[in-house]
Amino acid sequence: MTDTRRLWSEAVNRLEPYVPGEQPKAQKLIKLNTNENAFPPSPAVHRALTAAEVDRLRLYPDPNSQKLVNTLADYYCLTPDQVFVGNGSDEVLAHAFYAFFQQAQPLLFPDVSYSFYPVYCNLYDIRFQKVPLREDFSLVVDDYLQPNGGIIFPNPNAPTGMAIPLADIRRLLIANRDSVVLIDEAYVDFGAESAVSLINEFDNLLVVQTTSKSRSLAGLRLGYALGSAGLIEALGRVKNSFNSYPVDHLAEVAAVAAFNDDDYFQNACTQVIATRAYTVAELKALGFDLLPSQANFVFAKPQGQSAKAVFDALRERSIIVRYFDKPRIGDYLRISIGAQSDMEALIAALKDIAPH
Amino acid sequence: MTDTRRLWSEAVNRLEPYVPGEQPKAQKLIKLNTNENAFPPSPAVHRALTAAEVDRLRLYPDPNSQKLVNTLADYYCLTPDQVFVGNGSDEVLAHAFYAFFQQAQPLLFPDVSYSFYPVYCNLYDIRFQKVPLREDFSLVVDDYLQPNGGIIFPNPNAPTGMAIPLADIRRLLIANRDSVVLIDEAYVDFGAESAVSLINEFDNLLVVQTTSKSRSLAGLRLGYALGSAGLIEALGRVKNSFNSYPVDHLAEVAAVAAFNDDDYFQNACTQVIATRAYTVAELKALGFDLLPSQANFVFAKPQGQSAKAVFDALRERSIIVRYFDKPRIGDYLRISIGAQSDMEALIAALKDIAPH
């Protein structure tokens, strides 16, 4: 092949793309590696995808996804101009990085966190500085009180699963009013406190959530940002300079149906939390060290065996978890909370694997 | 409200977002303003969206959309590494602008063309130079033989509907080997010659197509690029630095079903072309000047009335067409080819509107 790199923009060479968790093709696996929900989406989602809605695909979707925006505004007690929707929270985050974090001062985020953040920084040539979590992996907001062009962290954090209280986020916002503080709440529905209640108080707060985890819609690609109208306007300007119609018609219809079935959502979250409690107790009994998780996964350190060895042994038994070969976290496994039966199979496998 | 602009990246101020054609909320309109297909998608699309596929939404989609990529590769007689898919051709174009057109020399495109091109240039701070179409709106490839950091135009062009022959594109590619030539073939299936057959000959050719027009899936957001493996690799690097999963699971399933029902597609295109011929003949009989269209729309200049006056009068009769208040094209209306009955209603309305 000829050297097509001569045709690339220079910037493409500096990109270091994100590597998502494996989506194995094999059936019959127990898949605990990408924090998906154990439950299918609400049956209301399937009912909403009628033949008439499919026929309507011949038309463009509403570029503003107004029905979905209104549904989310009602759900979170906000106004529609405080809501932005996109093609998964990854796209919403990408637009937020462009809209807010191209600044003279560096963006701050934890050294152990969602590994897509530095990837966005490379994409848009954004300066960043990693702020180390404390020795016990706790995130202390005082560590972020330094000159910055923005602050972002997940709450609960990933891959630790550890949450910080709302009072800490409020304290950070009071002390940091002139750059955007983005709280990535992908996992908030499994027990942490959301910062949505602070939006009317702080115009520099942006909260990003997703339907991928607690609404069982990872396959649908629907994320959203909640914040002051001025921040939402900036996101709209970026979106309308990139893709006028990021949310397809079926995704809008499905997401509206999912938010309208709150009982199903509450019940699924309750079951995930119960299964997490079971999993934590069993892993502790097996001698694992666990960080306190408020997410739909646990971050667990095996004793007497390396994390990599346990990862490989589980894989041989058709159980896929996530192992990160990275500083500080190479001794841990991130294990998604699947169905109760999946977790029982995991515990049985770990007993089998354990050194005798 | 406080001034949230203090929180924006400087770049957001320079953005001039694209304004898509209106998606009116009112029912009972005859909507001929955004070049949608008159026919619903293939019935195979609805059949493919089973309850099992909806339940599978709890899992992430395949980040590489491999089934769809393989389907497209087979369909166009290419290899899978020559195919890239994205969330509508607008997203595919955005990634291509980032991947290829951030160059020292300016990007070239026609002065009358898809108005999203300068918007992408603003987004990524790309230099560009508009190349005027000739007086009769024809695109002459020799006009592009000048120093450039890339060339892009639609074939057929929009909003003129005029196509250029494959021989012209080949001549351009032979003379311009060191920057990417992107042919935007959104409307190619309605009568123009595709450049896909040149891909194995020219490593700098990228062809972008969409399922929005000829496959009746505008609401689904599925576009794709076809080109040399080296160009596709660059697009993949950008995509994986922006959003790992741009194509949702239902969109992948639906698009595969649509491409597998080629009879339906061929029949729909044939009917659109026949209805276009009817529309052209009737408009000419009414004294309109028409550019020769190979697209699913016509670009028509009324006689004895301004385009704006006809646009307004049609709107009063619940018929929506597109009017551009812009240099060179302010005397024309862009009219999508709808169902035969829609076009008969249009002609009747125009007879009613005509000065007596």
Side-chain angles (χ1 to χ4, degrees):
Chain A
M1 197 172 76
T2 55
D3 176 25
T4 44
R5 289 201 175 212
R6 78 188 189 286
L7 304 163
W8 294 9
S9 300
E10 181 57 36
V12 176
N13 294 298
R14 81 165 178 250
L15 298 180
E16 295 173 25
Y18 175 75
V19 180
E22 191 183 4
Q23 297 291 336
K25 298 284 187 296
Q27 305 294 314
K28 307 255 182 192
L29 285 177
I30 295 182
K31 191 170 174 305
L32 304 175
N33 68 328
T34 54
N35 302 340
E36 290 144 335
N37 202 306
F39 301 99
S42 156
V45 170
H46 185 244
R47 284 196 302 270
L49 299 177
T50 61
E53 298 292 6
V54 173
D55 280 356
R56 199 217 166 274
L57 289 174
R58 77 175 187 86
L59 301 174
Y60 280 96
D62 175 1
N64 302 318
S65 309
Q66 204 61 53
K67 279 183 193 165
L68 176 56
V69 164
N70 293 347
T71 298
L72 290 168
D74 285 349
Y75 191 87
Y76 291 104
C77 300
L78 297 168
T79 53
D81 63 358
Q82 294 175 309
V83 178
F84 176 85
V85 298
N87 179 33
S89 64
D90 283 343
E91 181 184 79
V92 174
L93 289 171
H95 288 336
F97 273 64
Y98 186 101
F100 308 119
F101 297 150
Q102 299 183 81
Q103 305 289 353
Q105 295 291 338
L107 175 66
L108 306 180
F109 52 79
D111 62 337
V112 174
S113 192
Y114 186 30
S115 52
F116 219 130
Y117 299 157
V119 175
Y120 296 130
C121 289
N122 267 326
L123 182 68
Y124 298 131
D125 208 12
I126 291 168
R127 292 184 56 208
F128 64 91
Q129 187 178 317
K130 293 183 179 179
V131 179
L133 297 177
R134 298 293 172 93
E135 189 62 31
D136 62 355
F137 295 103
S138 63
L139 189 157
V140 178
V141 296
D142 304 82
D143 297 345
Y144 291 79
L145 301 182
Q146 50 178 302
N148 69 75
I151 295 169
I152 183 171
F153 54 80
N155 189 37
N157 195 11
T160 64
M162 290 168 68
I164 63 172
L166 192 57
D168 284 9
I169 291 174
R170 171 189 287 278
R171 196 148 50 85
L172 176 64
L173 285 162
I174 288 171
N176 188 90
R177 292 195 179 262
D178 287 322
S179 71
V180 169
V181 176
L182 197 165
I183 312 294
D184 183 350
E185 295 190 339
Y187 299 105
V188 77
D189 293 322
F190 302 107
E193 292 177 280
S194 173
V196 168
S197 62
L198 301 178
I199 284 173
N200 286 318
E201 201 172 340
F202 298 97
D203 70 357
N204 62 327
L205 168 63
L206 194 72
V207 175
V208 171
Q209 295 196 2
T210 175
T211 62
S212 293
K213 316 295 181 181
S214 56
R215 312 269 165 189
S216 304
L217 290 170
L220 192 69
R221 317 308 303 130
L222 200 293
Y224 49 100
L226 309 171
S228 64
L231 298 188
I232 299 305
E233 182 192 344
L235 290 173
R237 290 175 72 115
V238 178
K239 170 250 183 191
N240 285 315
S241 297
F242 180 84
N243 183 0
S244 306
Y245 307 95
V247 176
D248 75 71
H249 179 64
L250 299 185
E252 182 177 13
V253 167
V256 167
F259 276 93
N260 285 338
D261 189 358
D262 204 49
D263 286 350
Y264 185 91
F265 159 76
Q266 298 290 354
N267 182 51
C269 289
T270 301
Q271 290 196 49
V272 168
I273 290 168
T275 303
R276 182 180 68 205
Y278 161 83
T279 307
V280 166
E282 293 288 328
L283 288 173
K284 282 189 174 166
L286 285 172
F288 280 71
D289 274 349
L290 276 94
L291 303 186
S293 171
Q294 301 297 324
N296 70 337
F297 57 85
V298 293
F299 207 47
K301 180 178 172 178
Q303 297 296 310
Q305 289 170 292
S306 74
K308 181 64 164 56
V310 176
F311 170 83
D312 289 336
L314 285 172
R315 205 184 160 84
E316 277 172 27
R317 288 160 178 79
S318 298
I319 299 175
I320 314 291
V321 299
R322 190 105 194 244
Y323 168 71
F324 300 91
D325 186 11
K326 288 188 178 176
R328 295 194 69 178
I329 57 173
D331 292 340
Y332 286 79
L333 296 173
R334 195 191 68 186
I335 304 171
S336 306
I337 302 300
Q340 178 67 24
S341 59
D342 293 338
M343 305 322 280
E344 288 168 6
L346 169 80
I347 298 300
L350 288 172
K351 284 179 179 164
D352 189 38
I353 290 164
H356 298 289
Chain B
M1 197 172 74
T2 55
D3 175 25
T4 43
R5 289 200 176 214
R6 79 188 189 285
L7 303 164
W8 294 8
S9 300
E10 180 58 35
V12 176
N13 294 299
R14 80 163 181 252
L15 297 180
E16 295 173 25
Y18 176 75
V19 180
E22 191 183 2
Q23 296 292 338
K25 299 284 187 296
Q27 304 294 314
K28 306 256 182 190
L29 286 177
I30 296 182
K31 191 170 175 304
L32 305 174
N33 68 328
T34 53
N35 302 339
E36 290 144 337
N37 202 306
F39 302 98
S42 156
V45 170
H46 184 244
R47 285 197 301 271
L49 300 177
T50 61
E53 298 292 5
V54 173
D55 281 355
R56 198 214 166 276
L57 290 173
R58 76 173 186 87
L59 301 174
Y60 280 96
D62 175 1
N64 301 317
S65 309
Q66 204 61 52
K67 279 183 192 165
L68 175 56
V69 163
N70 293 347
T71 298
L72 291 168
D74 284 350
Y75 191 87
Y76 291 104
C77 300
L78 297 168
T79 53
D81 63 357
Q82 294 175 310
V83 178
F84 176 84
V85 298
N87 179 31
S89 65
D90 283 343
E91 181 184 78
V92 174
L93 289 170
H95 288 335
F97 272 65
Y98 185 103
F100 307 120
F101 297 151
Q102 300 183 81
Q103 304 288 352
Q105 295 290 338
L107 175 67
L108 306 179
F109 52 80
D111 63 336
V112 174
S113 192
Y114 185 31
S115 51
F116 219 130
Y117 299 158
V119 175
Y120 296 130
C121 288
N122 268 325
L123 182 68
Y124 297 131
D125 207 13
I126 291 169
R127 293 184 56 209
F128 64 92
Q129 187 179 318
K130 292 183 178 179
V131 179
L133 296 178
R134 298 293 173 93
E135 190 63 32
D136 62 356
F137 295 102
S138 63
L139 188 157
V140 178
V141 296
D142 303 83
D143 298 343
Y144 291 79
L145 300 182
Q146 50 178 300
N148 69 75
I151 295 168
I152 182 170
F153 55 79
N155 190 36
N157 195 11
T160 65
M162 291 168 68
I164 63 172
L166 192 57
D168 284 9
I169 291 173
R170 171 189 287 279
R171 196 150 48 85
L172 176 63
L173 285 162
I174 288 171
N176 188 90
R177 294 194 177 261
D178 286 322
S179 70
V180 169
V181 176
L182 197 164
I183 311 296
D184 183 350
E185 295 190 341
Y187 299 105
V188 77
D189 293 322
F190 302 107
E193 292 177 279
S194 173
V196 169
S197 62
L198 302 178
I199 284 173
N200 286 318
E201 203 172 338
F202 298 97
D203 69 357
N204 62 327
L205 168 63
L206 194 71
V207 175
V208 172
Q209 295 195 3
T210 175
T211 62
S212 293
K213 316 295 181 182
S214 57
R215 312 270 165 187
S216 304
L217 290 171
L220 192 69
R221 317 308 304 130
L222 202 292
Y224 48 100
L226 308 170
S228 63
L231 298 189
I232 300 305
E233 182 192 342
L235 290 172
R237 290 175 71 115
V238 178
K239 170 249 184 194
N240 285 315
S241 297
F242 180 84
N243 182 0
S244 306
Y245 308 94
V247 176
D248 74 73
H249 180 63
L250 299 184
E252 182 176 15
V253 167
V256 168
F259 276 92
N260 285 338
D261 189 358
D262 204 49
D263 286 351
Y264 185 92
F265 159 77
Q266 298 290 353
N267 183 50
C269 289
T270 301
Q271 291 196 49
V272 168
I273 291 168
T275 304
R276 181 178 69 205
Y278 161 83
T279 306
V280 165
E282 293 289 326
L283 288 174
K284 282 188 174 166
L286 286 172
F288 280 70
D289 273 350
L290 276 93
L291 302 186
S293 172
Q294 301 297 324
N296 70 337
F297 57 86
V298 294
F299 207 48
K301 180 180 174 177
Q303 297 294 311
Q305 288 170 292
S306 74
K308 181 63 165 57
V310 176
F311 170 83
D312 288 336
L314 285 173
R315 205 185 160 85
E316 278 171 26
R317 288 161 178 79
S318 299
I319 298 175
I320 314 290
V321 301
R322 190 106 196 242
Y323 168 71
F324 300 91
D325 186 12
K326 288 188 179 176
R328 295 193 70 178
I329 57 174
D331 293 339
Y332 285 80
L333 296 173
R334 195 192 67 185
I335 304 171
S336 306
I337 303 300
Q340 178 68 23
S341 58
D342 294 337
M343 306 321 281
E344 289 169 5
L346 169 80
I347 298 300
L350 288 172
K351 285 178 179 163
D352 190 38
I353 290 164
H356 298 289

